[in-house]
Amino acid sequence: IERDSLSDIPHQTPIMAFVSFLGTNANPKVVRASSTVSANGFLATASPSHSKSRMHVGKSKLLMQASAFGPNKKVNIAILGASGYTGAELVRLLANHPYANIVLMTAEKNAGQKFGSVFPQYLYGTFAKNLPTLVRIEEITSWDGVDIVFCCLPHATTQEIVMKLPLDKLKVIDLSADFRLSDVNNYAKWYGGEHKCPDLQKQAVYGLSELARDAVKNARLLANPGCYPTAAQLPLIPLLRDNIIQADDIIIDAKSGTTGAGRAAKVGTLFCEVSDGIHAYGVATHRHAPEIEQGLSQASKKDIIINFTPHLMPMNRGILETIYVKLEPGKTVEDMRACLEKQYANETFVHVLPPGVFPETRHVRGTNHVIINVAADRVPGRAIIISAIDNVNKGASGQALQNMNIMCGLPESLGLEQAAMFP
């Protein structure tokens, strides 16, 4: 894989989590959320973060009425490529999910071992002891009983696996880039090989959770967005859709922790190569550029080419993106703020910070949260957007779990309610 708790930042409480009781025997209230979807598939207005399904909210339980999953039927999960960083993060998050049941985990080099021998933090604890032994994918003889498959495999590997899966019986969430680009010719250009299952690509749903809920809800094959594209698209799409910023002058200066490069040993991510320095990489060639351009072009209804330069930082986790944009004539930074606040007013995981408070990666470390702010540039007619995410969480495994919750009709925040790991 290419690669919240702020006391002074107001937190928007989801409407569906707001419940009061008259007494111990009071009936739980039923709340219904709504959303509006524009023609291009993105949410046109802000919507509560648990989609349209009816929910029963009672004392300490939050259950989806329409979901087949709950206390009496857990979601049976397979994690393919569990020995990488995204696989390990999924396991960490699923440990806190009340309805998740990991039934299958694969790894090639570590097949036959317990997960705790690969990640020692899972050598102890009740949850860890119940994890299945790692196996090779080719050893799997049946997918019976599996509800969700998370693919945490290298690019170009997932296609060969997914085309053999019974998609009529289970759902797949792919954390690689194999199904993110809707144009298979564009995929071949950027990833150096033909797409092996173009028919499946037509079925794939791009799962930017907050902006594609209805599509995610019905997906059988979901392409989980990349880390840099998540941090870029969440602020930019609403602004382009509402014609507040210009489409032809977007500059993204992005910085990421080293987990974005994956767990395989590489000279460029050795301690001495990364520590005490910062460097740009993938200059004008990074594979996340076409993914960002795809989403922005759909929002603006015209082709967009961006300036995108990523940098490697001497830290484990986190992405900070500073985005420079040109305002449409007559538009102001206040219009930008109003647009983003309206879009994300009721979201659990996306937050527009107060004026003058700017995102820091430490404030989202280990969480599924996105923090955003905007500011006027000194150059007239220009503005600056800053966004921060945890690249392994919201940029990968956290958003994948959020999408699983949507696909299974469960509250989006299940398993994702951790506060940031700071200090």
Side-chain angles (χ1 to χ4, degrees):
I1 302 297
E2 293 179 349
R3 357 220 254 265
D4 98 32
S5 181
L6 289 172
S7 59
D8 58 343
I9 296 176
H11 180 73
Q12 300 290 342
T13 304
I15 292 174
M16 288 171 288
F18 181 77
V19 178
S20 61
F21 296 93
L22 299 177
T24 56
N25 296 320
N27 291 325
K29 294 185 177 182
V30 178
V31 186
R32 187 176 182 88
S34 62
S35 60
T36 303
V37 180
S38 62
N40 62 15
F42 298 120
L43 288 184
T45 60
S47 68
S49 64
H50 301 299
S51 78
K52 297 183 179 179
S53 301
R54 286 187 178 271
M55 304 180 70
H56 285 300
V57 187
K59 294 187 179 178
S60 62
K61 294 183 179 180
L62 188 61
L63 305 179
M64 296 296 292
Q65 184 183 30
S67 177
F69 302 100
N72 299 320
K73 179 174 170 50
K74 294 193 174 185
V75 184
N76 289 330
I77 295 167
I79 303 176
L80 309 186
S83 60
Y85 289 140
T86 55
E89 185 75 349
L90 264 175
V91 173
R92 183 179 76 86
L93 297 173
L94 291 169
N96 296 307
H97 195 296
Y99 309 137
N101 181 35
I102 302 176
V103 298
L104 186 62
M105 302 169 73
T106 77
E108 295 305 302
K109 295 180 181 178
N110 298 296
Q113 300 182 45
K114 287 290 186 179
F115 195 61
S117 65
V118 181
F119 291 98
Q121 66 267 36
Y122 295 102
L123 284 171
Y124 46 85
T126 303
F127 172 81
K129 291 178 180 178
N130 292 328
L131 289 173
T133 300
L134 296 167
V135 298
R136 290 186 175 84
I137 293 176
E138 54 266 27
E139 295 177 34
I140 302 171
T141 59
S142 174
W143 297 96
D144 289 349
V146 175
D147 301 303
I148 295 284
V149 175
F150 288 102
C151 292
C152 305
L153 301 167
H155 307 310
T157 303
T158 302
Q159 297 169 27
E160 298 179 354
I161 303 301
V162 171
M163 61 195 305
K164 300 174 184 178
L165 295 177
L167 292 179
D168 58 327
K169 297 179 180 179
L170 52 75
K171 299 181 179 183
V172 174
I173 300 174
D174 178 26
L175 281 75
S176 81
D178 279 13
F179 294 96
R180 292 178 189 160
L181 300 181
S182 58
D183 185 342
V184 294
N185 294 321
N186 207 22
Y187 174 88
K189 172 184 174 181
W190 286 89
Y191 286 90
E194 290 187 6
H195 202 285
K196 296 182 176 66
C197 41
D199 290 339
L200 280 180
Q201 177 60 65
K202 297 175 183 178
Q203 303 175 32
V205 170
Y206 185 77
L208 193 59
S209 307
E210 284 78 12
L211 299 179
R213 281 197 179 89
D214 281 2
V216 170
K217 181 171 58 178
N218 299 311
R220 304 297 304 183
L221 171 57
L222 185 132
N224 209 62
C227 49
Y228 288 128
T230 295
Q233 291 180 96
L234 285 171
L236 287 173
I237 284 174
L239 297 173
L240 286 166
R241 180 201 61 206
D242 291 354
N243 297 310
I244 295 173
I245 62 173
Q246 296 185 21
D248 59 352
D249 195 356
I250 298 173
I251 302 169
I252 303 174
D253 182 330
K255 298 170 178 66
S256 174
T258 57
T259 48
R263 201 181 188 208
K266 307 179 187 72
V267 171
T269 55
L270 293 174
F271 178 82
C272 291
E273 303 289 331
V274 176
S275 180
D276 298 326
I278 175 177
H279 67 272
Y281 70 100
V283 178
T285 62
H286 197 284
R287 292 166 169 176
H288 282 181
E291 184 181 340
I292 298 171
E293 291 167 350
Q294 174 179 264
L296 302 189
S297 297
Q298 291 172 355
S300 63
K301 298 183 173 62
K302 63 180 180 181
D303 291 340
I304 289 179
I305 298 177
I306 59 170
N307 293 107
F308 171 63
T309 306
H311 302 76
L312 191 65
M313 299 293 292
M315 61 184 186
N316 292 340
R317 291 171 175 256
I319 280 180
L320 185 76
E321 295 190 6
T322 305
I323 306 171
Y324 304 94
V325 297
K326 183 184 290 185
L327 293 161
E328 288 284 6
K331 298 298 183 180
T332 66
V333 169
E334 287 70 30
D335 295 322
M336 294 173 63
R337 175 175 297 281
C339 171
L340 294 173
E341 286 180 344
K342 180 181 179 181
Q343 177 72 57
Y344 299 118
N346 297 309
E347 292 293 346
T348 301
F349 298 118
V350 184
H351 316 278
V352 181
L353 304 185
V357 179
F358 294 103
E360 300 181 32
T361 57
R362 73 190 76 189
H363 295 153
V364 292
R365 180 181 172 88
T367 79
N368 197 52
H369 291 279
V370 184
I371 49 178
I372 301 168
N373 213 338
V374 296
D377 200 335
R378 293 177 59 243
V379 180
R382 298 194 66 90
I384 302 167
I385 304 166
I386 301 176
S387 66
I389 66 171
D390 183 315
N391 61 298
V392 190
N393 203 299
K394 183 62 172 178
S397 305
Q399 187 159 217
L401 180 52
Q402 184 179 357
N403 283 324
M404 185 202 84
N405 287 334
I406 298 171
M407 294 163 75
C408 293
L410 295 168
E412 283 184 36
S413 61
L414 286 185
L416 295 167
E417 298 173 349
Q418 299 86 354
M421 295 187 289
F422 174 77

